[in-house]
Amino acid sequence: MTGGYPLLVADLIGVAVFAASGASAGVAKRLDLFGVAFVGFAAALGGGILRDVVIGATPPLAFADWRYAVTAVAAAVVVFWLHPALHRVRRTVLTLDAAGLGLFTVTGTLKAIEAGVPAVGACLVGMLTAIGGGLTRDLLTGEIPVVLQREIYAIVALGGAVVVAVLHRIGQAGVIPLAVAAVVMTVVRLIALRRRWSAPVAVP
Amino acid sequence: MTGGYPLLVADLIGVAVFAASGASAGVAKRLDLFGVAFVGFAAALGGGILRDVVIGATPPLAFADWRYAVTAVAAAVVVFWLHPALHRVRRTVLTLDAAGLGLFTVTGTLKAIEAGVPAVGACLVGMLTAIGGGLTRDLLTGEIPVVLQREIYAIVALGGAVVVAVLHRIGQAGVIPLAVAAVVMTVVRLIALRRRWSAPVAVP
Amino acid sequence: MTGGYPLLVADLIGVAVFAASGASAGVAKRLDLFGVAFVGFAAALGGGILRDVVIGATPPLAFADWRYAVTAVAAAVVVFWLHPALHRVRRTVLTLDAAGLGLFTVTGTLKAIEAGVPAVGACLVGMLTAIGGGLTRDLLTGEIPVVLQREIYAIVALGGAVVVAVLHRIGQAGVIPLAVAAVVMTVVRLIALRRRWSAPVAVP
């Protein structure tokens, strides 16, 4: 991803939003300031760390570029101090989270492809990039990961990753088509939220 | 492992069985279809991903060869739809799981040795390959890993890994001796299951 | 870290102490002998494995040098048999744990710097080396990691890691200054324990 400054800014917004979600979970579990910052860091960067370890890009970006860690920790600390006010901006947070989902899927899938991972594997890595942070957040706070239980979230990432892989295969992975893919994922996720779509659960 | 087609088929059977065990756990926890597929994938391929990351073989086979992921997800989806019928084939599933234990230990230990890991470490990696999926499955579904609590399971893998390392050291790591080692592990595991062997627990 | 024999001995003492903490947690959760040994191994070496995977030093030291695994498992087995006697040496164990915290932070931070990780990332890796084992121990035994909840522990590691990075930057990362840094971390941790210092928790 040599997308330059605009992509970096977009990426850091995604990091901040995911860190806020992790920090909120940490506050709810009565973690201390360090714990809240740590879960925020893990929620924001866990997916990317997993992605980079799996594709062999060490050290992961989360450790190689200080702006990622600083953004994540700063967002988590802000939530630690301001969390009662967060409720009022809940809709904004969910919208930004949906944007992060789209963005992380696109960058994760592309990075995996560029690292030589075949298409099916790259789609899985892209999806893991998007949901890995939330998984880590829930495991650290003693919860069964919410992404496994309900709502249309990971499946949006997986579908989006397939679109990105196809775009790459047909030589159309330019900035515009990728941005459209990220926006479509974000919109689908927001519609799924609003309409309370959910995946089927097995009949007992 | 350039064991060719028979080994691939055996490997994929192990993947399918471990995926079925993960999917069953997911169904029991009322996860949705995606969650069941994800836990199935993690149970089947978590051990191998851990192995490949630890020995530096990136991207892990689970992402490099689409047949692994597709087999795992397909097995998990079948369990999602058919799980009430699974009870009737419980004995078959446990037998296949024991076979997977033997097989994954052999391939994991050999891969680690071939990647240059010294003998003791290679045995640990082999054992982790066999039990890593079950560990991941239990962590994702909010359980203390069953492999740490009771039954003779991991210790069979560790013993088998030592045998594989010794065979390799004395230049006898051919197909026949390795197959015998896998079969012996499977049989020991099945006997341990039937006789309800268990490891000691500390006196309180 | 080519610190030679004294450093190896110090490192293995840290491994033994962290293994004992993991084994104690395993005994408390009624795990069997294998489970206790496994959690001991994970508590002692989980941080180092995470460090080595993140900096691309595969296979991790825990698998490349048999003395680490053997020390961890031996310490865990001793705890399994002698745990009722552990209560009497609780103060000793906590002191050794504080020493392990200082030592693992120093070696983890230096290893990351030497592997080319930039300063901020190297401090995070150093801290993760020190707290990663405890995190793994708590996740395996079904607990929210204690390091996230209370007490001054990780923050000592992070502060110490920053000192190590600064020492390295100004060309003063010799044995004496590093040893002083480790000792200061140990002392701060012990004072924090004795005075029951704790980090703030968010106002509900």
Side-chain angles (χ1 to χ4, degrees):
Chain A
M1 287 310 301
T2 52
Y5 197 70
L7 184 62
L8 175 69
V9 170
D11 223 11
L12 292 181
I13 291 174
V15 165
V17 173
F18 282 164
S21 85
S24 297
V27 166
K29 289 281 177 175
R30 309 278 301 142
L31 303 187
D32 66 16
L33 176 55
F34 173 79
V36 168
F38 189 87
V39 177
F41 176 87
L45 299 169
I49 292 171
L50 185 63
R51 171 200 65 203
D52 290 346
V53 164
V54 158
I55 67 176
T58 55
L61 200 53
F63 301 106
D65 185 335
W66 62 270
R67 291 171 294 195
Y68 285 80
V70 167
T71 302
V73 170
V77 170
V78 167
V79 168
F80 183 84
W81 294 118
L82 300 185
H83 67 97
L86 272 186
H87 221 73
R88 267 171 282 149
V89 293
R90 192 179 139 74
R91 182 170 299 224
T92 311
V93 170
L94 283 174
T95 306
L96 287 171
D97 179 86
L101 176 72
L103 188 73
F104 280 27
T105 300
V106 169
T107 57
T109 308
L110 276 185
K111 276 205 173 186
I113 290 172
E114 285 167 11
V117 181
V120 171
C123 291
L124 293 172
V125 171
M127 182 193 73
L128 282 173
T129 306
I131 72 170
L135 277 173
T136 314
R137 174 198 66 207
D138 293 347
L139 293 178
L140 286 174
T141 53
E143 300 288 339
I144 296 181
V146 67
V147 71
L148 305 178
Q149 291 186 83
R150 53 183 170 77
E151 292 186 359
I152 299 296
Y153 192 93
I155 208 72
V156 174
L158 188 56
V162 171
V163 169
V164 171
V166 169
L167 286 172
H168 188 273
R169 179 67 62 89
I170 62 177
Q172 298 295 325
V175 171
I176 306 289
L178 291 176
V180 170
V183 169
V184 169
M185 273 184 268
T186 304
V187 170
V188 171
R189 166 66 185 149
L190 289 173
I191 295 174
L193 258 184
R194 173 178 283 259
R195 304 235 171 141
R196 300 175 191 280
W197 286 347
S198 60
V201 171
V203 184
Chain B
M1 288 310 300
T2 51
Y5 197 70
L7 184 63
L8 175 70
V9 170
D11 223 11
L12 292 181
I13 291 174
V15 165
V17 172
F18 282 166
S21 86
S24 298
V27 166
K29 289 283 177 174
R30 311 275 304 142
L31 304 186
D32 66 15
L33 176 56
F34 173 79
V36 168
F38 189 87
V39 177
F41 176 87
L45 299 168
I49 291 170
L50 186 61
R51 173 200 65 204
D52 290 346
V53 165
V54 159
I55 67 176
T58 54
L61 200 54
F63 301 107
D65 184 336
W66 61 271
R67 291 172 293 196
Y68 284 80
V70 167
T71 301
V73 170
V77 170
V78 166
V79 168
F80 183 83
W81 294 118
L82 299 184
H83 67 97
L86 272 187
H87 221 72
R88 269 172 279 148
V89 293
R90 193 179 139 74
R91 183 171 298 224
T92 310
V93 169
L94 282 173
T95 306
L96 287 170
D97 180 85
L101 176 70
L103 189 74
F104 279 26
T105 301
V106 169
T107 57
T109 308
L110 277 185
K111 275 205 174 186
I113 290 174
E114 285 167 10
V117 181
V120 171
C123 292
L124 293 172
V125 171
M127 183 193 73
L128 282 173
T129 307
I131 72 170
L135 278 174
T136 314
R137 173 199 66 206
D138 293 347
L139 292 178
L140 285 174
T141 52
E143 301 288 339
I144 296 181
V146 67
V147 71
L148 304 179
Q149 292 187 83
R150 54 182 169 77
E151 294 187 358
I152 299 296
Y153 192 93
I155 207 72
V156 175
L158 189 56
V162 171
V163 170
V164 171
V166 169
L167 286 172
H168 188 271
R169 181 66 62 90
I170 63 175
Q172 298 294 327
V175 172
I176 306 287
L178 291 176
V180 170
V183 168
V184 169
M185 273 185 269
T186 304
V187 170
V188 172
R189 166 65 184 149
L190 289 175
I191 294 175
L193 258 184
R194 174 179 283 259
R195 303 235 171 140
R196 299 175 190 279
W197 285 348
S198 61
V201 171
V203 184
Chain C
M1 287 310 300
T2 51
Y5 196 71
L7 184 62
L8 176 69
V9 171
D11 223 11
L12 292 181
I13 290 174
V15 165
V17 173
F18 282 165
S21 86
S24 298
V27 166
K29 289 283 178 174
R30 310 277 303 144
L31 303 187
D32 66 16
L33 176 54
F34 173 80
V36 169
F38 189 87
V39 177
F41 175 88
L45 299 168
I49 292 171
L50 186 61
R51 173 200 66 204
D52 290 346
V53 165
V54 159
I55 67 176
T58 54
L61 201 53
F63 300 106
D65 185 334
W66 61 270
R67 291 172 294 196
Y68 285 80
V70 167
T71 301
V73 170
V77 170
V78 167
V79 168
F80 183 83
W81 294 118
L82 299 184
H83 68 97
L86 272 186
H87 220 74
R88 268 172 281 150
V89 295
R90 191 179 139 75
R91 184 171 298 223
T92 311
V93 170
L94 282 173
T95 307
L96 287 170
D97 180 85
L101 176 72
L103 189 74
F104 279 26
T105 301
V106 170
T107 57
T109 309
L110 277 185
K111 276 206 172 185
I113 291 173
E114 286 168 9
V117 181
V120 171
C123 292
L124 293 172
V125 172
M127 183 193 72
L128 282 173
T129 306
I131 72 170
L135 277 173
T136 315
R137 174 199 66 207
D138 294 346
L139 292 179
L140 286 174
T141 53
E143 301 288 339
I144 296 180
V146 67
V147 72
L148 304 179
Q149 292 185 83
R150 53 182 168 79
E151 295 185 358
I152 299 295
Y153 192 94
I155 207 73
V156 175
L158 189 56
V162 171
V163 170
V164 170
V166 168
L167 287 173
H168 188 272
R169 180 67 61 91
I170 63 177
Q172 298 295 326
V175 172
I176 306 287
L178 291 177
V180 170
V183 169
V184 169
M185 272 185 267
T186 304
V187 170
V188 172
R189 166 66 184 148
L190 289 174
I191 294 174
L193 259 183
R194 174 179 283 260
R195 304 233 171 142
R196 299 176 190 279
W197 286 348
S198 61
V201 171
V203 184

